[in-house]
Amino acid sequence: AQSVTQLGSHVSVSEGALVLLRCNYSSSVPPYLFWYVQYPNQGLQLLLKYTTGATLVKGINGFEAEFKKSETSFHLTKPSAHMSDAAEYFCAVDTNAGKSTFGDGTTLTVKP
Amino acid sequence: DTGVSQNPRHKITKRGQNVTFRCDPISEHNRLYWYRQTLGQGPEFLTYFQNEAQLEKSRLLSDRFSAERPKGSFSTLEIQRTEQGDSAMYLCASSLRQGMGEQYFGPGTRLTVT
């Protein structure tokens, strides 16, 4: 079985500050890992994904995440927050079984 | 735009009524997924199809729920004898390849059971 834990259901940062959203997973096989963003009343949009190869992956809107196998983590970062980054973020794991398991999400608030 | 579409976007129904939702995936995607999302939680897997074959159903999917994907194109999710606990956002997603292929989500159908 696979699972995802997102530490911190709410994160608040000031505009221009570093964004760090935490994700830890459990999986019995090498995982595929994803970060999605969801704006109010919309579906989820993929930010970035890790499948194989380079452990630091870059996504859209300046986000990146690093796969750390030893820590079973896939934390999402952005050097400088923008007001438009305010949304809910979901980490997901897929072990090639065809479906993803999602964390409970982290709501990011960006203060002016 | 050739993204995933879902209809209706909102549905309000009375307890005990049946409802049906439709999902149109990206045309070349052979996998289609249904998820349920409640407030404060991430999407929970319900079921998925590869082409017209329903490959897996979650234990969350009681016998009141049924999904179909005739001809491997659009899909429908029907809930019979709705209960207040069925109130949620129902999300559809599609993907091109198993595993490595990220899922593309539709905007969802918000169901409210009164």
Side-chain angles (χ1 to χ4, degrees), chain A residues 33-87:
Chain A
L33 295 159
F34 306 86
W35 275 99
Y36 291 87
V37 61
Q38 186 177 34
Y39 297 100
N41 300 313
Q42 295 187 24
L44 281 70
Q45 178 186 4
L46 181 74
L47 278 177
L48 48 79
K49 66 178 180 181
Y50 169 79
T51 53
T52 58
T55 57
L56 181 64
V57 292
K58 297 184 185 298
I60 62 172
N61 301 339
F63 284 93
E64 61 182 37
E66 186 172 11
F67 169 59
K68 292 187 176 180
K69 183 179 178 181
S70 61
E71 299 178 8
T72 60
S73 69
F74 191 57
H75 301 330
L76 181 71
T77 61
K78 182 174 180 177
S80 177
H82 191 273
M83 296 297 290
S84 61
D85 295 327

Side-chain angles (χ1 to χ4, degrees), chain A residues 32 34 36 38 41-46 49 51-52 88 90 94-105, chain B residues 9 31 33 35 37 40-43 45 48 56 89 91 97-108 110:
Chain A
Y32 299 133
F34 306 86
Y36 291 87
Q38 186 177 34
N41 300 313
Q42 295 187 24
L44 281 70
Q45 178 186 4
L46 181 74
K49 66 178 180 181
T51 53
T52 58
E88 190 159 20
F90 293 94
D94 181 341
T95 56
N96 203 28
K99 66 181 190 287
S100 289
T101 299
F102 288 81
D104 283 338
Chain B
R9 293 291 307 276
R31 285 215 164 193
Y33 310 80
Y35 293 87
Q37 185 179 23
Q41 295 194 336
F45 170 79
Y48 81 93
E56 186 173 346
M89 176 77 86
L91 296 169
R97 292 184 298 163
Q98 176 180 345
M100 291 178 64
E102 65 267 26
Q103 296 179 26
Y104 293 81
F105 283 80
R110 181 168 296 283

Side-chain angles (χ1 to χ4, degrees), chain B residues 37-89:
Chain B
Q37 185 179 23
T38 53
L39 197 62
Q41 295 194 336
E44 295 176 293
F45 170 79
L46 293 179
T47 187
Y48 81 93
F49 294 82
Q50 177 150 314
N51 301 313
E52 67 275 11
Q54 188 173 18
L55 296 187
E56 186 173 346
K57 294 194 297 184
S58 165
R59 287 172 293 176
L60 293 174
L61 214 63
S62 75
D63 57 5
R64 295 185 299 104
F65 288 70
S66 62
E68 295 182 339
R69 192 184 183 196
K71 302 179 182 178
S73 56
F74 71 92
S75 176
T76 58
L77 177 68
E78 180 183 17
I79 310 175
Q80 296 181 325
R81 306 180 303 280
T82 53
E83 302 172 355
Q84 287 189 319
D86 297 331
S87 295
M89 176 77 86

